[in-house]
Amino acid sequence: MKSVRLPESLHSEIKRIAQGNREAMWKTIARAWEFWYTAYKAHFQVESEAPQVAIDKAVWYIFKLVNSVGEFKAGTNKKYYYERLMRTIDTIESRLKIDCSLLRDAAEAYMKRRSKANKTALNDATKYVCVKILESALQKLSSATKGS
């Protein structure tokens, strides 16, 4: 039998959960580890092996994009948030192979002039890219389930 040093707060939490489930603490830890490791492995699996990964990645990139656009629109340091948005766009284009030229143009226009029309164009372009990301994920999911 091996032992592991834990912070008191973590030990107390594991003990509380184990008692609530009426199981040994080591079983609680083993279940938590198995859950974490399964999720970790699924993140790196090929999408045809784990179709839900395509949806998970799509939601992550949509979340990341919407946050970047929101920060850019609301942020006081325009240049900083513009550059962060451009990095997010670059990531989406390179990893997901989604054309973001419309969004890039809308962001550049909003950077030059923060008008209501430019803000609306930025919102519409963001929505368009989000739909494209979701369509791509659903297409991967559909082709993976047809192959099963």
Side-chain angles (χ1 to χ4, degrees):
M1 183 73 76
K2 298 282 183 179
S3 64
V4 177
R5 292 173 50 115
L6 299 172
E8 183 62 38
S9 60
L10 179 58
H11 182 271
S12 298
E13 185 66 13
I14 294 168
K15 184 176 181 179
R16 184 187 65 74
I17 293 169
Q19 287 173 341
N21 292 333
R22 295 185 175 160
E23 65 184 3
M25 288 174 56
W26 71 266
K27 287 183 181 179
T28 301
I29 294 169
R31 259 189 319 104
W33 173 259
E34 184 179 339
F35 177 81
W36 175 84
Y37 191 68
T38 301
Y40 177 79
K41 283 192 328 189
H43 180 75
F44 294 103
Q45 284 181 338
V46 177
E47 284 154 1
S48 62
E49 294 175 24
Q52 71 277 8
V53 172
I55 299 297
D56 182 63
K57 284 183 181 178
V59 170
W60 165 248
Y61 283 108
I62 289 170
F63 176 78
K64 186 174 179 177
L65 176 62
V66 169
N67 275 345
S68 292
V69 170
E71 287 176 331
F72 173 56
K73 291 190 313 188
T76 54
N77 187 345
K78 245 173 37 165
K79 188 174 186 321
Y80 173 76
Y81 289 113
Y82 172 77
E83 289 169 358
R84 284 186 61 170
L85 175 57
M86 290 299 119
R87 282 196 305 270
T88 300
I89 291 171
D90 290 341
T91 300
I92 290 169
E93 286 179 329
S94 67
R95 293 185 184 169
L96 302 182
K97 309 298 185 229
I98 304 284
D99 178 23
C100 297
S101 57
L102 186 65
L103 178 58
R104 190 181 300 278
D105 293 345
E108 287 173 7
Y110 191 70
M111 177 68 174
K112 290 177 185 169
R113 184 166 175 258
R114 290 188 172 214
S115 67
K116 188 173 182 177
N118 286 344
K119 187 177 193 176
T120 301
L122 180 60
N123 290 342
D124 290 344
T126 302
K127 186 173 68 172
Y128 175 79
V129 171
C130 289
V131 168
K132 289 298 177 191
I133 293 170
L134 195 53
E135 282 177 351
S136 173
L138 291 173
Q139 186 177 26
K140 288 176 185 175
L141 181 65
S142 175
S143 63
T145 54
K146 284 179 185 173
S148 312

